[in-house]
Amino acid sequence: MAEAEAMQLKEEGNQHFQLQDYKAATKSYSQALKLTKDKALLATLYRNRAACGLKMESYVQAASDASRAIDINSSDIKALYRRCQALEHLGKLDQAFKDVQRCATLEPQNQSFQETLRRLNTSIQEKLRVQFSTDSRVQTMFEILLDRNSEADKLEKAANNLIVLSREEAGAERIFQNNGVALLMQLLDTKRPELMLAAVRTLSGVCSSHRARATATLHAVRIDRICSLMAVESEEMSLAVCNLLQGIIDALSGEDKQEHRGKEEALVLDSKKDLKQITNHLLDMLVSKKVSGQGRDQALNLLNKNVPRKDLAIHDNSRTIYVVDNGLRKILKVVGQVPDLPSCLPLTDNTRMLASILINKLYDDLRCDPERDHFRKICEEHITGTFDPQDMDKNVIAIQTVSGILQGPFDLGNQLLGLKGVMEMMVALCGSERETDQLVAVEALIHASTKLSRATFIITNGVSLLKEIYKTTKNEKIKIRALVGLCKLGSAGGTDYALRQFAEGSTEKLAKQCRKWLCNASIDTRTRKWAVEGLAYLTLDADVKDDFVQDIPALQAMFELAKTPDKTILYSVATTLVNCTNSYDVKEVIPELVQLAKFSKQHVPEEHPKDKKDFVDMRVKRLLKAGVTSALVCMVKADNAILTDQTKELLARVFLALCDNPKDRGTIVAQGGGKALIPLALEGTDVGKVKAAHALAKIAAVSNPDIAFPGERVYEVVRPLVSLLNTQRDGLQNYEALLGLTNLSGRSDKLRKKIFKEKALPDIENYMFENHDQLRQAATECMCNMVVNKEVQERFLADGNDRLKLVVLLCGEDDDKLQNAAAGALAMLTAAHKKLCFKMTEVTTQWLEILQRLCLHDRLSVQHRGLVIAYNLLAADAELAKKLVESELLEILTVVGKQEPDEKRAAVVQTARECLIKCMDYGFIKPVA
């Protein structure tokens, strides 16, 4: 019984194969294999399943099945040839050659075997030639690079070629196999900057996405040497070594997302020891005086990126615990550095902020209260251990440490403010004669007033203290910082017009002073940065933001600061722009609750007249004219941990506000805004990703994708747009995402495949059922473009679904645009598959009436599509054509076909005539003599 059933399943599989339904054929053969033990039948089934694998491009499975058939019968010529084809596609040309050679021996007269034999022989010779030439090229490059007498242009060319070669897997492997790591180490020994840089970049390519090569390179070059290279003053070299280390870390930790099999997996069993060694060396770099500011920044960047968990759902936070136990004191030492003191380590403008961000990430990565208590105790011991009544420098460092922690985990910083002597020391330093003491104290006061609801001491004493400093000091640096503190305290009411901390006009005066300092190029960048910080708070006031956007020099000064190497300014600039564009979240005002609050004499937030839409639109226009887009693009490119997820969210909010008017989108695209939005839509907070995806949808809906997202970037746009096709998103986001996908799907089949691969089809189909007319129309237009793709057509061909029925019924709707899109989809589907022509007549009894209505439509584009559908049905089958001819459709075709084909109606009349000619071919009608 089992053997008979196996034979029956084999025959079913053969029938499916002939109908090109390879999945069903594979299923039948697989079921048959479980039922039979007959060797001849087993060989046939494996051989047939291999043929299905070839058709479906599952070459590994095809080669495996063919091999099983050959194991049963070594002279199975069909299995041998199928394995040859699979191996050729897998790039295993030598093995494929052996199989076809055997086939040619068994059947010498077979021309197909002879042709394959010649082709594979040529391919193998070419592969060997390339391999040997690559080996010789690698050797030649190293000879030029290691020759002291080589000419400069030859050196540069060889170095660049080696870097490019290392970025390809085959090239990286050839360099590695040709003793490349040892030769690259010789280049590092030359002490020539350009050669050392080329060597580091080549090593990055060799290590990328390959665990075994990364491990071998790490052990050969040694982590201490790699870190010493990163510690140099050169920003370019430091960044290149940072990239090398990141590549090694990714490869060792599996972050490269590569599958490691066979020898690769066996070679590298455990990389935890190497990763721990790298972490220890990076922590040591933080407190070493031999390390440059650039090197320290890169070490902090690497720790920021690799120590805390990327996803809090992962339970294991052992890396964070290890760094807290072994490195937190070192990080606190960096945070506490005061640039003006002689004991200060080499720093950049970004170093302390990077350390604060690392402290914040480590603290957020802790899982329970005991872990957080341990963290806090280390910080308390460090700060209290630094205080020294006899040494004012140590006291300044202690307050600077608290100030740095306040910029990280604020709750922890607030607890540290309560330590005995901290607030007293801050007040004492404010009254000090020394500029450094005052700067540190005022900055600490500013950071302490970040969350006003909790900073009670600052609210009580801060205003009078800062006002006193502002009035008495003659030092501009301290004056600006005191002003920022006042700005923070003055903005406590937020956007609420009724809750003003200062007297009428005071806020505008503070803002005017900030703008004045911002435009003063003679003041150092670090100090001007504080003017932006002040504006970040003051621009919550609508009068202030309106004045600010009219001050073009001040705007452009802020944009120029955003482009400087000092990235600590990013958050302040982003916050200021969010305030100016009103892109912050506003709570919905419910009139009934407002009345209730007034009745109970509760405070009701008031909107400033200048926060209304007309004023916001005008501000956006002025920002665009001043060049805000190029500043935002530059900010997004900051490859630095200071560009936090929160800052990315702010930038996404600003971009979305700028994209609101379709007329402005061309300007944003021209200045690189489209490309800049892609990373914001892929990484960051959930809110930030949605805002950036929405801005992308707005651009994708109206722009030429080739210009807005050049090259391969356009494929990265698909996923953010698909993420907006979600019931949790609002209708506008759904609609604009559908418009964007419609535009993209009309560009190329590769983009259609990408949309299909991102599983957007079910969502698009859902929106075709929507009650909302515009959403339904947008989804149908998107589907109209998508049906050109073969995978989408297969979904319509599959049994047991109403997809085709829905499209046919949409053709019968009253909305012209909806009919046009649905008729376009139906025309393409019926043209692609005869089966769908038959299926169309079965899905609904109204199909003929709907088709006749399309062919008589007032709108020429809809009528043309209806006539194309009619032609497809006529061409599909004589019986189906007869059914159409016997209906009123023949009369409709005759009337349309007899019309004079003017310029507008030419396509319609021509299609109607082609339908009539088809009827004549069948002999259903005869030409009039």
Side-chain angles (χ1 to χ4, degrees), residues 847-859:
W847 70 272
L848 190 54
E849 183 191 336
I850 289 168
L851 181 58
Q852 288 168 356
R853 281 181 61 195
L854 289 176
C855 293
L856 286 169
H857 207 282
D858 296 336
R859 186 171 171 178

Side-chain angles (χ1 to χ4, degrees), residues 624 628-630 633 637 655 659 662-677 699 703-704 706-710:
L624 284 166
V628 67
T629 308
S630 59
V633 169
K637 286 179 181 173
F655 265 123
C659 292
K663 291 178 183 176
D664 297 329
R665 293 172 200 170
T667 308
I668 293 163
V669 166
Q671 294 176 7
K675 291 178 281 186
L677 274 164
I699 288 172
S703 307
N704 180 341
D706 299 334
I707 296 169
F709 316 107

Side-chain angles (χ1 to χ4, degrees), residues 393-598:
D393 284 0
K394 285 187 175 180
N395 296 334
V396 172
I397 289 168
I399 297 302
Q400 184 82 318
T401 306
V402 174
S403 181
I405 294 169
L406 283 163
Q407 288 175 273
F410 185 84
D411 292 339
L412 174 63
N414 217 22
Q415 286 178 312
L416 297 174
L417 284 174
L419 282 175
K420 188 180 177 183
V422 170
M423 290 307 304
E424 291 82 355
M425 183 54 69
M426 281 167 71
V427 174
L429 290 174
C430 283
S432 169
E433 293 293 318
R434 196 165 62 157
E435 180 189 296
T436 304
D437 299 353
Q438 281 191 312
L439 283 174
V440 169
V442 173
E443 284 182 22
L445 276 171
I446 292 166
H447 296 313
S449 59
T450 299
K451 292 193 180 175
L452 291 159
S453 57
R454 299 180 193 174
T456 47
F457 177 90
I458 303 298
I459 293 168
T460 312
N461 306 289
V463 174
S464 57
L465 200 60
L466 289 167
K467 275 185 178 176
E468 185 63 29
I469 294 169
Y470 184 69
K471 285 176 185 174
T472 56
T473 186
K474 292 178 182 178
N475 187 317
E476 289 277 277
K477 292 180 182 180
I478 295 164
K479 212 176 185 72
I480 290 177
R481 285 162 174 80
L483 179 75
V484 172
L486 290 169
C487 292
K488 271 192 171 185
L489 296 167
S491 65
T495 57
D496 187 349
Y497 184 45
L499 276 183
R500 291 195 162 199
Q501 299 292 306
F502 296 149
E504 187 75 36
S506 298
T507 314
E508 285 93 318
K509 284 179 185 175
L510 289 173
K512 193 174 180 181
Q513 186 61 55
C514 282
R515 298 206 313 268
K516 187 180 169 186
W517 276 321
L518 182 58
C519 295
N520 189 346
S522 62
I523 300 174
D524 66 282
T525 306
R526 253 181 87 196
T527 305
R528 285 167 70 208
K529 177 190 80 177
W530 285 98
V532 181
E533 185 95 8
L535 286 166
Y537 293 95
L538 292 173
T539 47
L540 284 165
D541 184 297
D543 287 317
V544 171
K545 60 180 115 176
D546 217 54
D547 291 342
F548 181 45
V549 294
Q550 291 180 54
D551 189 345
I552 300 298
L555 276 179
Q556 290 177 338
M558 182 175 80
F559 297 156
E560 287 307 312
L561 280 177
K563 296 173 185 177
T564 61
D566 182 357
K567 299 303 174 192
T568 56
I569 200 171
L570 293 182
Y571 189 81
S572 304
V573 174
T575 306
T576 305
L577 291 172
V578 164
N579 292 342
C580 289
T581 55
N582 283 40
S583 47
Y584 41 70
D585 288 327
V586 180
K587 287 182 180 176
E588 187 183 351
V589 177
I590 301 166
E592 291 83 358
L593 291 180
V594 171
Q595 292 299 322
L596 190 63
K598 284 180 178 176

Side-chain angles (χ1 to χ4, degrees), residues 326-344:
N326 296 279
L328 181 55
R329 289 172 183 81
K330 294 173 182 176
I331 301 164
L332 289 168
K333 185 175 179 182
V334 176
V335 162
Q337 294 300 301
V338 181
D340 298 328
L341 294 182
S343 61
C344 185

Side-chain angles (χ1 to χ4, degrees), residues 85-99:
Q85 290 172 297
L87 291 169
E88 184 182 357
H89 279 102
L90 291 168
K92 298 178 179 179
L93 302 182
D94 50 344
Q95 294 175 40
F97 185 79
K98 285 178 185 175
D99 280 346

Side-chain angles (χ1 to χ4, degrees), residues 362-417:
L362 293 173
Y363 190 73
D364 286 346
D365 201 41
L366 301 174
R367 289 188 292 113
C368 56
D369 286 343
E371 288 178 1
R372 281 184 275 274
D373 288 340
H374 175 59
F375 192 103
R376 179 178 49 78
K377 281 174 186 170
I378 293 173
C379 294
E380 285 178 0
E381 286 168 12
H382 181 84
I383 291 161
T384 52
T386 308
F387 276 129
D388 185 348
Q390 307 301 317
D391 190 341
M392 188 56 79
D393 284 0
K394 285 187 175 180
N395 296 334
V396 172
I397 289 168
I399 297 302
Q400 184 82 318
T401 306
V402 174
S403 181
I405 294 169
L406 283 163
Q407 288 175 273
F410 185 84
D411 292 339
L412 174 63
N414 217 22
Q415 286 178 312
L416 297 174
L417 284 174

Side-chain angles (χ1 to χ4, degrees), residues 161-220:
N161 286 344
L162 201 60
I163 294 164
V164 170
L165 193 65
S166 72
R167 288 175 183 164
E168 298 168 8
E169 172 55 31
E173 187 61 27
R174 298 322 307 159
I175 292 170
F176 186 77
Q177 295 293 347
N178 282 281
N179 197 29
V181 176
L183 293 167
L184 288 166
M185 286 170 69
Q186 287 183 40
L187 282 183
L188 292 173
D189 291 334
T190 61
K191 303 297 180 190
R192 292 172 65 177
E194 70 279 10
L195 296 185
M196 292 173 73
L197 194 59
V200 170
R201 286 175 175 164
T202 306
L203 283 169
S204 291
V206 169
C207 296
S208 179
S209 303
H210 200 288
R211 200 185 296 174
R213 289 202 300 259
T215 306
T217 303
L218 181 65
H219 291 175

